[in-house]
Amino acid sequence: MMQYAGFKDKHAISIYTGDIITDDYGRVMVVEWSVYRFRFRALTETNFTYTHQLGEWFEVVGDVPEIIGNIYENPELVEKYVQ
């Protein structure tokens, strides 16, 4: 539970599993651990369901996400976006 993903959001806050994040495109995702690596699972409509390319997301794309909550303290955020 709440394992550090090795990255920080745009406010320099450490990102952990279970965190709910948003990016500059308005996509909302949850950080998960999956078979030896972290991934983002999309909660809103995107061109992906999961992405495992977290390093590229932060280093190449340059769109550093922002934490808006987590699944433990803000379950209503997950319910809001999951259809």
Side-chain angles (χ1 to χ4, degrees):
M1 186 167 129
M2 300 298 289
Q3 186 174 2
Y4 179 53
F7 298 99
K8 296 184 185 245
D9 80 345
K10 63 174 53 178
H11 303 291
I13 299 171
S14 298
I15 297 175
Y16 290 86
T17 54
D19 280 341
I20 301 167
I21 61 173
T22 187
D23 65 10
D24 290 342
Y25 299 101
R27 298 178 291 199
V28 177
M29 296 157 276
V30 64
V31 180
E32 297 181 336
W33 176 255
S34 173
V35 191
Y36 308 113
R37 60 184 169 185
F38 292 97
R39 68 182 182 183
F40 293 149
R41 176 174 50 97
L43 297 178
T44 56
E45 186 175 334
T46 63
N47 60 349
F48 60 87
T49 302
Y50 298 99
T51 181
H52 299 282
Q53 306 302 326
L54 299 190
E56 289 182 23
W57 192 285
F58 287 89
E59 297 166 12
V60 177
V61 176
D63 178 27
V64 179
E66 177 180 21
I67 298 170
I68 59 171
N70 67 60
I71 61 173
Y72 309 107
E73 296 173 338
N74 311 101
E76 71 280 0
L77 288 175
V78 175
E79 293 170 10
K80 176 181 177 180
Y81 295 109
V82 174
Q83 306 298 329

